[in-house]
Amino acid sequence: MVNLNIKAMRYLSPEDFRTLTAVEMGSRNHEVVPSSMITQLAKLRGGSCTKSLSVLNMTKLIARMPKSNYDGYRLTYAGYDYLALKALTKRASVYAVGNQIGVGKESDVYVVSDQKGKQYILKIHRLGRICFRSVKNNRDYLRNRKTGSWMYLSRLAAAKEFAFMKILHEHGFPVPTPIDYSRHCIIMDLVDAFPLRAIEKVLDPEALYTKLMGLIVRLARHGLIHGDFNEFNILVYESGEPIIIDFPQMVSTSHADAKYYFDRDVECIVHFFAKVLKFEGPVPKWEDVMAMEKLEALDLLAEASGFNKKQAKELERYRENQRKMQEEGAEEVDEFEGEVDDDDEDEE
Ligand SMILES: Nc1ncnc2c1ncn2[C@@H]1O[C@H](COP(=O)(O)OP(=O)(O)OP(=O)(O)O)[C@@H](O)[C@H]1O
């Protein structure tokens, strides 16, 4: 499991930071970045780069491949966290990191604050944290790609989530206010509301049901499907107003499986209300919604904002692979258990 290593943040010298940035640059096309290349990219004298590499390795911001004599390093999740948080602090979006309030398979969620003490949410995307050891395909999608893909995919997920949150926010949808993002990290408003999953009774289930189905329909008229519209991703204010979170899996209504995703979102709400809140209401139909007058195409706007089709496909391929592996009953492996430094290696 990867933890946010805040302690290491304060003590890096400018040379260490340059070296870390050089490892990140080299990671774009090298699984393990040769030390000679790191020195070149960091534009430091050989001696001071070697010293920095040793500091970064000790603080686990970079790592050597276990059981390898190869003279090179790769960026660890902790190193990537460091770079992202450094950028966010420099832009004054984050000043202090507080408690972790959520840990999903593919993200960690923290409360952070700015210099004035106002609290926000930091969501760190961690795609590729869980890899699969499959009987049928003993090498899975991530392993088949160049490493660095966890970095690339996590960055894509964050970019996608931020782009969609921004567009939805600008078009009056009830979503947290997006504040900033860097690499695989997003900063958004902290919503002071309860997740629907934790609510057993609401004052007016009909009103909430109508609002939620209304949101699914309005999104679809704007060309979008949430794709994971369930009690975990719906927060409800005490006033009964819902607010929606978690957008990396959103798809366009022009997607080949759009009807499936739309029906699944609708079914999640129908099921939760019937089972927990004992309420049944009218169920929107895909065909009826598609026949309604279209509203501004937000799916195209998201694409134009920099999150293009190729990137969407990459993320989708990854998710599809994870789903298949799960269905096959492949063994889950925490990829970052493997983030060892030389000391850990000796203990094996
Ligand atoms: N803006 C926010 N304000 C308040 N709480 C939030 C916010 N964003 C996320 N959370 C909390 O963090 C939890 C996880 O967030 P989110 O669903 O975005 O991550 P996730 O990785 O998709 O989680 P999971 O894999 O469990 O679905 C949420 O259930 C919610 O309790």
Side-chain angles (χ1 to χ4, degrees), residues 179-214:
I179 306 292
D180 197 358
Y181 87 99
S182 169
R183 299 170 175 85
H184 59 326
C185 294
I186 295 185
I187 306 288
M188 65 184 118
D189 259 354
L190 170 79
V191 176
D192 188 14
F194 295 100
L196 183 58
R197 67 165 189 278
I199 298 175
E200 284 167 12
K201 253 196 181 144
V202 286
L203 232 46
D204 189 347
E206 184 178 0
L208 184 58
Y209 180 91
T210 309
K211 275 178 196 149
L212 293 174
M213 288 305 188

PDB file of all heavy atoms in Angstrom, residues 179-214:
ATOM      1  N   ILE A 179     -10.781  22.837  -8.025  1.00  0.00           N
ATOM      2  CA  ILE A 179      -9.888  23.950  -7.703  1.00  0.00           C
ATOM      3  C   ILE A 179      -8.609  23.917  -8.533  1.00  0.00           C
ATOM      4  O   ILE A 179      -8.220  24.891  -9.135  1.00  0.00           O
ATOM      5  CB  ILE A 179      -9.518  23.933  -6.191  1.00  0.00           C
ATOM      6  CG1 ILE A 179     -10.787  23.900  -5.317  1.00  0.00           C
ATOM      7  CG2 ILE A 179      -8.601  25.102  -5.816  1.00  0.00           C
ATOM      8  CD1 ILE A 179     -11.630  25.157  -5.346  1.00  0.00           C
ATOM      9  N   ASP A 180      -7.954  22.761  -8.570  1.00  0.00           N
ATOM     10  CA  ASP A 180      -6.655  22.698  -9.253  1.00  0.00           C
ATOM     11  C   ASP A 180      -6.309  21.222  -9.472  1.00  0.00           C
ATOM     12  O   ASP A 180      -6.903  20.340  -8.826  1.00  0.00           O
ATOM     13  CB  ASP A 180      -5.587  23.349  -8.351  1.00  0.00           C
ATOM     14  CG  ASP A 180      -4.306  23.701  -9.121  1.00  0.00           C
ATOM     15  OD1 ASP A 180      -4.225  23.416 -10.331  1.00  0.00           O
ATOM     16  OD2 ASP A 180      -3.385  24.262  -8.490  1.00  0.00           O
ATOM     17  N   TYR A 181      -5.382  20.953 -10.351  1.00  0.00           N
ATOM     18  CA  TYR A 181      -4.851  19.593 -10.420  1.00  0.00           C
ATOM     19  C   TYR A 181      -3.424  19.598 -10.919  1.00  0.00           C
ATOM     20  O   TYR A 181      -2.987  20.526 -11.599  1.00  0.00           O
ATOM     21  CB  TYR A 181      -5.756  18.665 -11.241  1.00  0.00           C
ATOM     22  CG  TYR A 181      -5.494  18.645 -12.727  1.00  0.00           C
ATOM     23  CD1 TYR A 181      -4.732  17.627 -13.292  1.00  0.00           C
ATOM     24  CD2 TYR A 181      -6.004  19.623 -13.560  1.00  0.00           C
ATOM     25  CE1 TYR A 181      -4.496  17.587 -14.652  1.00  0.00           C
ATOM     26  CE2 TYR A 181      -5.779  19.591 -14.921  1.00  0.00           C
ATOM     27  CZ  TYR A 181      -5.024  18.569 -15.456  1.00  0.00           C
ATOM     28  OH  TYR A 181      -4.782  18.542 -16.794  1.00  0.00           O
ATOM     29  N   SER A 182      -2.690  18.583 -10.519  1.00  0.00           N
ATOM     30  CA  SER A 182      -1.339  18.387 -11.031  1.00  0.00           C
ATOM     31  C   SER A 182      -1.117  16.884 -11.122  1.00  0.00           C
ATOM     32  O   SER A 182      -1.434  16.154 -10.181  1.00  0.00           O
ATOM     33  CB  SER A 182      -0.316  19.002 -10.080  1.00  0.00           C
ATOM     34  OG  SER A 182       0.985  18.586 -10.456  1.00  0.00           O
ATOM     35  N   ARG A 183      -0.624  16.459 -12.253  1.00  0.00           N
ATOM     36  CA  ARG A 183      -0.340  15.040 -12.464  1.00  0.00           C
ATOM     37  C   ARG A 183      -1.537  14.174 -12.085  1.00  0.00           C
ATOM     38  O   ARG A 183      -2.583  14.312 -12.687  1.00  0.00           O
ATOM     39  CB  ARG A 183       0.929  14.641 -11.717  1.00  0.00           C
ATOM     40  CG  ARG A 183       2.151  15.424 -12.224  1.00  0.00           C
ATOM     41  CD  ARG A 183       3.353  15.229 -11.359  1.00  0.00           C
ATOM     42  NE  ARG A 183       4.526  15.876 -11.896  1.00  0.00           N
ATOM     43  CZ  ARG A 183       4.850  17.156 -11.701  1.00  0.00           C
ATOM     44  NH1 ARG A 183       4.075  17.930 -10.986  1.00  0.00           N
ATOM     45  NH2 ARG A 183       5.934  17.660 -12.238  1.00  0.00           N
ATOM     46  N   HIS A 184      -1.418  13.314 -11.050  1.00  0.00           N
ATOM     47  CA  HIS A 184      -2.497  12.383 -10.706  1.00  0.00           C
ATOM     48  C   HIS A 184      -3.339  12.899  -9.531  1.00  0.00           C
ATOM     49  O   HIS A 184      -4.104  12.146  -8.955  1.00  0.00           O
ATOM     50  CB  HIS A 184      -1.903  11.000 -10.385  1.00  0.00           C
ATOM     51  CG  HIS A 184      -0.919  11.033  -9.242  1.00  0.00           C
ATOM     52  ND1 HIS A 184      -0.093  12.109  -8.999  1.00  0.00           N
ATOM     53  CD2 HIS A 184      -0.645  10.141  -8.264  1.00  0.00           C
ATOM     54  CE1 HIS A 184       0.644  11.871  -7.933  1.00  0.00           C
ATOM     55  NE2 HIS A 184       0.325  10.676  -7.470  1.00  0.00           N
ATOM     56  N   CYS A 185      -3.169  14.163  -9.163  1.00  0.00           N
ATOM     57  CA  CYS A 185      -3.857  14.729  -7.984  1.00  0.00           C
ATOM     58  C   CYS A 185      -4.850  15.820  -8.360  1.00  0.00           C
ATOM     59  O   CYS A 185      -4.541  16.665  -9.199  1.00  0.00           O
ATOM     60  CB  CYS A 185      -2.831  15.340  -7.043  1.00  0.00           C
ATOM     61  SG  CYS A 185      -1.743  14.133  -6.315  1.00  0.00           S
ATOM     62  N   ILE A 186      -5.995  15.796  -7.692  1.00  0.00           N
ATOM     63  CA  ILE A 186      -7.017  16.828  -7.907  1.00  0.00           C
ATOM     64  C   ILE A 186      -7.342  17.498  -6.592  1.00  0.00           C
ATOM     65  O   ILE A 186      -7.435  16.824  -5.568  1.00  0.00           O
ATOM     66  CB  ILE A 186      -8.325  16.179  -8.378  1.00  0.00           C
ATOM     67  CG1 ILE A 186      -8.162  15.533  -9.718  1.00  0.00           C
ATOM     68  CG2 ILE A 186      -9.457  17.171  -8.450  1.00  0.00           C
ATOM     69  CD1 ILE A 186      -9.473  15.000 -10.229  1.00  0.00           C
ATOM     70  N   ILE A 187      -7.550  18.793  -6.626  1.00  0.00           N
ATOM     71  CA  ILE A 187      -8.052  19.508  -5.453  1.00  0.00           C
ATOM     72  C   ILE A 187      -9.462  19.991  -5.783  1.00  0.00           C
ATOM     73  O   ILE A 187      -9.693  20.558  -6.858  1.00  0.00           O
ATOM     74  CB  ILE A 187      -7.191  20.749  -5.112  1.00  0.00           C
ATOM     75  CG1 ILE A 187      -5.719  20.387  -4.964  1.00  0.00           C
ATOM     76  CG2 ILE A 187      -7.710  21.438  -3.851  1.00  0.00           C
ATOM     77  CD1 ILE A 187      -5.372  19.617  -3.722  1.00  0.00           C
ATOM     78  N   MET A 188     -10.385  19.702  -4.882  1.00  0.00           N
ATOM     79  CA  MET A 188     -11.767  20.178  -5.074  1.00  0.00           C
ATOM     80  C   MET A 188     -12.341  20.613  -3.734  1.00  0.00           C
ATOM     81  O   MET A 188     -11.737  20.341  -2.682  1.00  0.00           O
ATOM     82  CB  MET A 188     -12.621  19.053  -5.670  1.00  0.00           C
ATOM     83  CG  MET A 188     -12.774  17.863  -4.748  1.00  0.00           C
ATOM     84  SD  MET A 188     -13.692  16.507  -5.500  1.00  0.00           S
ATOM     85  CE  MET A 188     -12.472  15.209  -5.511  1.00  0.00           C
ATOM     86  N   ASP A 189     -13.496  21.254  -3.798  1.00  0.00           N
ATOM     87  CA  ASP A 189     -14.159  21.687  -2.563  1.00  0.00           C
ATOM     88  C   ASP A 189     -14.517  20.493  -1.692  1.00  0.00           C
ATOM     89  O   ASP A 189     -14.902  19.440  -2.212  1.00  0.00           O
ATOM     90  CB  ASP A 189     -15.455  22.422  -2.927  1.00  0.00           C
ATOM     91  CG  ASP A 189     -15.275  23.917  -2.835  1.00  0.00           C
ATOM     92  OD1 ASP A 189     -14.201  24.359  -2.382  1.00  0.00           O
ATOM     93  OD2 ASP A 189     -16.210  24.640  -3.225  1.00  0.00           O
ATOM     94  N   LEU A 190     -14.414  20.687  -0.401  1.00  0.00           N
ATOM     95  CA  LEU A 190     -14.866  19.667   0.542  1.00  0.00           C
ATOM     96  C   LEU A 190     -16.381  19.824   0.690  1.00  0.00           C
ATOM     97  O   LEU A 190     -16.866  20.905   1.017  1.00  0.00           O
ATOM     98  CB  LEU A 190     -14.189  19.877   1.901  1.00  0.00           C
ATOM     99  CG  LEU A 190     -14.727  19.061   3.061  1.00  0.00           C
ATOM    100  CD1 LEU A 190     -14.181  17.643   3.002  1.00  0.00           C
ATOM    101  CD2 LEU A 190     -14.343  19.670   4.388  1.00  0.00           C
ATOM    102  N   VAL A 191     -17.093  18.763   0.397  1.00  0.00           N
ATOM    103  CA  VAL A 191     -18.553  18.819   0.483  1.00  0.00           C
ATOM    104  C   VAL A 191     -18.982  18.324   1.855  1.00  0.00           C
ATOM    105  O   VAL A 191     -18.667  17.192   2.238  1.00  0.00           O
ATOM    106  CB  VAL A 191     -19.188  17.928  -0.621  1.00  0.00           C
ATOM    107  CG1 VAL A 191     -20.696  17.910  -0.479  1.00  0.00           C
ATOM    108  CG2 VAL A 191     -18.762  18.408  -1.992  1.00  0.00           C
ATOM    109  N   ASP A 192     -19.703  19.174   2.570  1.00  0.00           N
ATOM    110  CA  ASP A 192     -20.129  18.807   3.917  1.00  0.00           C
ATOM    111  C   ASP A 192     -21.498  18.119   3.826  1.00  0.00           C
ATOM    112  O   ASP A 192     -22.533  18.712   4.114  1.00  0.00           O
ATOM    113  CB  ASP A 192     -20.198  20.083   4.769  1.00  0.00           C
ATOM    114  CG  ASP A 192     -20.453  19.762   6.223  1.00  0.00           C
ATOM    115  OD1 ASP A 192     -20.307  18.580   6.596  1.00  0.00           O
ATOM    116  OD2 ASP A 192     -20.815  20.690   6.969  1.00  0.00           O
ATOM    117  N   ALA A 193     -21.464  16.888   3.364  1.00  0.00           N
ATOM    118  CA  ALA A 193     -22.722  16.149   3.171  1.00  0.00           C
ATOM    119  C   ALA A 193     -22.455  14.664   3.420  1.00  0.00           C
ATOM    120  O   ALA A 193     -21.309  14.233   3.451  1.00  0.00           O
ATOM    121  CB  ALA A 193     -23.210  16.361   1.757  1.00  0.00           C
ATOM    122  N   PHE A 194     -23.525  13.898   3.569  1.00  0.00           N
ATOM    123  CA  PHE A 194     -23.369  12.465   3.855  1.00  0.00           C
ATOM    124  C   PHE A 194     -23.483  11.638   2.583  1.00  0.00           C
ATOM    125  O   PHE A 194     -24.337  11.909   1.744  1.00  0.00           O
ATOM    126  CB  PHE A 194     -24.468  11.993   4.815  1.00  0.00           C
ATOM    127  CG  PHE A 194     -24.370  12.625   6.162  1.00  0.00           C
ATOM    128  CD1 PHE A 194     -25.178  13.702   6.501  1.00  0.00           C
ATOM    129  CD2 PHE A 194     -23.451  12.141   7.100  1.00  0.00           C
ATOM    130  CE1 PHE A 194     -25.079  14.305   7.744  1.00  0.00           C
ATOM    131  CE2 PHE A 194     -23.348  12.737   8.343  1.00  0.00           C
ATOM    132  CZ  PHE A 194     -24.163  13.821   8.674  1.00  0.00           C
ATOM    133  N   PRO A 195     -22.657  10.594   2.480  1.00  0.00           N
ATOM    134  CA  PRO A 195     -22.844   9.707   1.325  1.00  0.00           C
ATOM    135  C   PRO A 195     -24.208   9.015   1.425  1.00  0.00           C
ATOM    136  O   PRO A 195     -24.623   8.634   2.527  1.00  0.00           O
ATOM    137  CB  PRO A 195     -21.730   8.671   1.458  1.00  0.00           C
ATOM    138  CG  PRO A 195     -20.889   9.088   2.605  1.00  0.00           C
ATOM    139  CD  PRO A 195     -21.561  10.175   3.345  1.00  0.00           C
ATOM    140  N   LEU A 196     -24.878   8.884   0.309  1.00  0.00           N
ATOM    141  CA  LEU A 196     -26.219   8.265   0.311  1.00  0.00           C
ATOM    142  C   LEU A 196     -26.186   6.872   0.943  1.00  0.00           C
ATOM    143  O   LEU A 196     -27.133   6.451   1.601  1.00  0.00           O
ATOM    144  CB  LEU A 196     -26.741   8.204  -1.133  1.00  0.00           C
ATOM    145  CG  LEU A 196     -28.149   7.659  -1.344  1.00  0.00           C
ATOM    146  CD1 LEU A 196     -29.198   8.448  -0.564  1.00  0.00           C
ATOM    147  CD2 LEU A 196     -28.522   7.650  -2.826  1.00  0.00           C
ATOM    148  N   ARG A 197     -25.069   6.156   0.753  1.00  0.00           N
ATOM    149  CA  ARG A 197     -24.987   4.787   1.288  1.00  0.00           C
ATOM    150  C   ARG A 197     -25.145   4.752   2.810  1.00  0.00           C
ATOM    151  O   ARG A 197     -25.558   3.746   3.374  1.00  0.00           O
ATOM    152  CB  ARG A 197     -23.663   4.116   0.897  1.00  0.00           C
ATOM    153  CG  ARG A 197     -22.465   4.743   1.537  1.00  0.00           C
ATOM    154  CD  ARG A 197     -21.213   3.895   1.467  1.00  0.00           C
ATOM    155  NE  ARG A 197     -20.184   4.499   2.302  1.00  0.00           N
ATOM    156  CZ  ARG A 197     -19.401   5.509   1.936  1.00  0.00           C
ATOM    157  NH1 ARG A 197     -19.504   6.007   0.716  1.00  0.00           N
ATOM    158  NH2 ARG A 197     -18.521   6.019   2.753  1.00  0.00           N
ATOM    159  N   ALA A 198     -24.813   5.885   3.473  1.00  0.00           N
ATOM    160  CA  ALA A 198     -24.870   5.914   4.936  1.00  0.00           C
ATOM    161  C   ALA A 198     -26.224   6.404   5.439  1.00  0.00           C
ATOM    162  O   ALA A 198     -26.435   6.537   6.635  1.00  0.00           O
ATOM    163  CB  ALA A 198     -23.764   6.810   5.463  1.00  0.00           C
ATOM    164  N   ILE A 199     -27.118   6.670   4.499  1.00  0.00           N
ATOM    165  CA  ILE A 199     -28.411   7.246   4.899  1.00  0.00           C
ATOM    166  C   ILE A 199     -29.485   6.164   4.834  1.00  0.00           C
ATOM    167  O   ILE A 199     -29.658   5.504   3.810  1.00  0.00           O
ATOM    168  CB  ILE A 199     -28.775   8.421   3.957  1.00  0.00           C
ATOM    169  CG1 ILE A 199     -27.719   9.514   4.091  1.00  0.00           C
ATOM    170  CG2 ILE A 199     -30.159   8.962   4.261  1.00  0.00           C
ATOM    171  CD1 ILE A 199     -27.899  10.669   3.134  1.00  0.00           C
ATOM    172  N   GLU A 200     -30.180   5.970   5.939  1.00  0.00           N
ATOM    173  CA  GLU A 200     -31.222   4.940   5.916  1.00  0.00           C
ATOM    174  C   GLU A 200     -32.605   5.543   5.780  1.00  0.00           C
ATOM    175  O   GLU A 200     -33.560   4.875   5.417  1.00  0.00           O
ATOM    176  CB  GLU A 200     -31.151   4.109   7.197  1.00  0.00           C
ATOM    177  CG  GLU A 200     -29.995   3.136   7.136  1.00  0.00           C
ATOM    178  CD  GLU A 200     -29.685   2.516   8.468  1.00  0.00           C
ATOM    179  OE1 GLU A 200     -30.492   2.661   9.401  1.00  0.00           O
ATOM    180  OE2 GLU A 200     -28.609   1.897   8.566  1.00  0.00           O
ATOM    181  N   LYS A 201     -32.696   6.824   6.112  1.00  0.00           N
ATOM    182  CA  LYS A 201     -33.999   7.493   6.049  1.00  0.00           C
ATOM    183  C   LYS A 201     -33.818   8.871   5.476  1.00  0.00           C
ATOM    184  O   LYS A 201     -32.877   9.579   5.856  1.00  0.00           O
ATOM    185  CB  LYS A 201     -34.554   7.636   7.465  1.00  0.00           C
ATOM    186  CG  LYS A 201     -35.693   6.702   7.750  1.00  0.00           C
ATOM    187  CD  LYS A 201     -36.433   7.135   8.975  1.00  0.00           C
ATOM    188  CE  LYS A 201     -37.551   6.132   9.224  1.00  0.00           C
ATOM    189  NZ  LYS A 201     -37.771   5.893  10.607  1.00  0.00           N
ATOM    190  N   VAL A 202     -34.663   9.266   4.531  1.00  0.00           N
ATOM    191  CA  VAL A 202     -34.660  10.670   4.107  1.00  0.00           C
ATOM    192  C   VAL A 202     -36.067  11.216   4.296  1.00  0.00           C
ATOM    193  O   VAL A 202     -37.044  10.460   4.230  1.00  0.00           O
ATOM    194  CB  VAL A 202     -34.227  10.851   2.625  1.00  0.00           C
ATOM    195  CG1 VAL A 202     -32.760  10.652   2.445  1.00  0.00           C
ATOM    196  CG2 VAL A 202     -35.016   9.970   1.707  1.00  0.00           C
ATOM    197  N   LEU A 203     -36.117  12.520   4.536  1.00  0.00           N
ATOM    198  CA  LEU A 203     -37.406  13.155   4.825  1.00  0.00           C
ATOM    199  C   LEU A 203     -38.392  12.952   3.670  1.00  0.00           C
ATOM    200  O   LEU A 203     -39.548  12.597   3.872  1.00  0.00           O
ATOM    201  CB  LEU A 203     -37.159  14.658   5.059  1.00  0.00           C
ATOM    202  CG  LEU A 203     -37.723  15.246   6.333  1.00  0.00           C
ATOM    203  CD1 LEU A 203     -37.392  14.332   7.534  1.00  0.00           C
ATOM    204  CD2 LEU A 203     -37.139  16.645   6.570  1.00  0.00           C
ATOM    205  N   ASP A 204     -37.869  13.165   2.449  1.00  0.00           N
ATOM    206  CA  ASP A 204     -38.751  13.100   1.285  1.00  0.00           C
ATOM    207  C   ASP A 204     -38.088  12.261   0.180  1.00  0.00           C
ATOM    208  O   ASP A 204     -37.469  12.798  -0.736  1.00  0.00           O
ATOM    209  CB  ASP A 204     -39.005  14.540   0.801  1.00  0.00           C
ATOM    210  CG  ASP A 204     -40.078  14.599  -0.258  1.00  0.00           C
ATOM    211  OD1 ASP A 204     -40.451  13.535  -0.782  1.00  0.00           O
ATOM    212  OD2 ASP A 204     -40.521  15.718  -0.573  1.00  0.00           O
ATOM    213  N   PRO A 205     -38.237  10.915   0.272  1.00  0.00           N
ATOM    214  CA  PRO A 205     -37.569  10.055  -0.716  1.00  0.00           C
ATOM    215  C   PRO A 205     -38.011  10.352  -2.141  1.00  0.00           C
ATOM    216  O   PRO A 205     -37.190  10.299  -3.067  1.00  0.00           O
ATOM    217  CB  PRO A 205     -37.999   8.629  -0.311  1.00  0.00           C
ATOM    218  CG  PRO A 205     -38.751   8.737   0.946  1.00  0.00           C
ATOM    219  CD  PRO A 205     -38.999  10.169   1.273  1.00  0.00           C
ATOM    220  N   GLU A 206     -39.270  10.720  -2.304  1.00  0.00           N
ATOM    221  CA  GLU A 206     -39.755  10.992  -3.660  1.00  0.00           C
ATOM    222  C   GLU A 206     -39.011  12.178  -4.282  1.00  0.00           C
ATOM    223  O   GLU A 206     -38.588  12.115  -5.436  1.00  0.00           O
ATOM    224  CB  GLU A 206     -41.266  11.271  -3.632  1.00  0.00           C
ATOM    225  CG  GLU A 206     -41.811  11.453  -5.044  1.00  0.00           C
ATOM    226  CD  GLU A 206     -43.309  11.685  -5.090  1.00  0.00           C
ATOM    227  OE1 GLU A 206     -43.949  11.710  -4.015  1.00  0.00           O
ATOM    228  OE2 GLU A 206     -43.830  11.848  -6.209  1.00  0.00           O
ATOM    229  N   ALA A 207     -38.818  13.222  -3.469  1.00  0.00           N
ATOM    230  CA  ALA A 207     -38.144  14.425  -3.994  1.00  0.00           C
ATOM    231  C   ALA A 207     -36.704  14.080  -4.379  1.00  0.00           C
ATOM    232  O   ALA A 207     -36.215  14.475  -5.449  1.00  0.00           O
ATOM    233  CB  ALA A 207     -38.154  15.530  -2.950  1.00  0.00           C
ATOM    234  N   LEU A 208     -36.007  13.298  -3.534  1.00  0.00           N
ATOM    235  CA  LEU A 208     -34.616  12.942  -3.824  1.00  0.00           C
ATOM    236  C   LEU A 208     -34.540  12.050  -5.065  1.00  0.00           C
ATOM    237  O   LEU A 208     -33.695  12.250  -5.945  1.00  0.00           O
ATOM    238  CB  LEU A 208     -33.987  12.238  -2.611  1.00  0.00           C
ATOM    239  CG  LEU A 208     -32.510  11.889  -2.746  1.00  0.00           C
ATOM    240  CD1 LEU A 208     -31.650  13.128  -3.008  1.00  0.00           C
ATOM    241  CD2 LEU A 208     -31.987  11.170  -1.498  1.00  0.00           C
ATOM    242  N   TYR A 209     -35.447  11.078  -5.128  1.00  0.00           N
ATOM    243  CA  TYR A 209     -35.488  10.162  -6.287  1.00  0.00           C
ATOM    244  C   TYR A 209     -35.677  10.973  -7.577  1.00  0.00           C
ATOM    245  O   TYR A 209     -34.972  10.784  -8.568  1.00  0.00           O
ATOM    246  CB  TYR A 209     -36.636   9.169  -6.083  1.00  0.00           C
ATOM    247  CG  TYR A 209     -36.795   8.158  -7.198  1.00  0.00           C
ATOM    248  CD1 TYR A 209     -36.136   6.925  -7.134  1.00  0.00           C
ATOM    249  CD2 TYR A 209     -37.607   8.428  -8.313  1.00  0.00           C
ATOM    250  CE1 TYR A 209     -36.283   5.993  -8.154  1.00  0.00           C
ATOM    251  CE2 TYR A 209     -37.749   7.506  -9.329  1.00  0.00           C
ATOM    252  CZ  TYR A 209     -37.092   6.283  -9.243  1.00  0.00           C
ATOM    253  OH  TYR A 209     -37.238   5.363 -10.262  1.00  0.00           O
ATOM    254  N   THR A 210     -36.616  11.895  -7.526  1.00  0.00           N
ATOM    255  CA  THR A 210     -36.925  12.696  -8.713  1.00  0.00           C
ATOM    256  C   THR A 210     -35.711  13.540  -9.114  1.00  0.00           C
ATOM    257  O   THR A 210     -35.382  13.645 -10.298  1.00  0.00           O
ATOM    258  CB  THR A 210     -38.137  13.622  -8.431  1.00  0.00           C
ATOM    259  OG1 THR A 210     -39.172  12.799  -7.902  1.00  0.00           O
ATOM    260  CG2 THR A 210     -38.621  14.336  -9.661  1.00  0.00           C
ATOM    261  N   LYS A 211     -35.027  14.089  -8.113  1.00  0.00           N
ATOM    262  CA  LYS A 211     -33.840  14.904  -8.418  1.00  0.00           C
ATOM    263  C   LYS A 211     -32.755  14.051  -9.060  1.00  0.00           C
ATOM    264  O   LYS A 211     -32.116  14.459 -10.027  1.00  0.00           O
ATOM    265  CB  LYS A 211     -33.281  15.522  -7.133  1.00  0.00           C
ATOM    266  CG  LYS A 211     -33.959  16.812  -6.775  1.00  0.00           C
ATOM    267  CD  LYS A 211     -33.419  17.376  -5.485  1.00  0.00           C
ATOM    268  CE  LYS A 211     -34.395  18.433  -5.005  1.00  0.00           C
ATOM    269  NZ  LYS A 211     -34.466  18.583  -3.566  1.00  0.00           N
ATOM    270  N   LEU A 212     -32.529  12.859  -8.497  1.00  0.00           N
ATOM    271  CA  LEU A 212     -31.441  12.006  -9.009  1.00  0.00           C
ATOM    272  C   LEU A 212     -31.753  11.517 -10.417  1.00  0.00           C
ATOM    273  O   LEU A 212     -30.882  11.562 -11.297  1.00  0.00           O
ATOM    274  CB  LEU A 212     -31.200  10.832  -8.052  1.00  0.00           C
ATOM    275  CG  LEU A 212     -30.632  11.240  -6.685  1.00  0.00           C
ATOM    276  CD1 LEU A 212     -30.556  10.036  -5.741  1.00  0.00           C
ATOM    277  CD2 LEU A 212     -29.249  11.875  -6.839  1.00  0.00           C
ATOM    278  N   MET A 213     -32.982  11.064 -10.646  1.00  0.00           N
ATOM    279  CA  MET A 213     -33.328  10.619 -12.002  1.00  0.00           C
ATOM    280  C   MET A 213     -33.283  11.814 -12.956  1.00  0.00           C
ATOM    281  O   MET A 213     -32.847  11.687 -14.105  1.00  0.00           O
ATOM    282  CB  MET A 213     -34.730   9.987 -12.024  1.00  0.00           C
ATOM    283  CG  MET A 213     -34.794   8.625 -11.351  1.00  0.00           C
ATOM    284  SD  MET A 213     -33.578   7.467 -12.058  1.00  0.00           S
ATOM    285  CE  MET A 213     -34.083   5.943 -11.252  1.00  0.00           C
ATOM    286  N   GLY A 214     -33.690  12.967 -12.444  1.00  0.00           N
ATOM    287  CA  GLY A 214     -33.638  14.193 -13.256  1.00  0.00           C
ATOM    288  C   GLY A 214     -32.203  14.502 -13.676  1.00  0.00           C
ATOM    289  O   GLY A 214     -31.953  14.917 -14.809  1.00  0.00           O
TER     290      GLY A 214
END
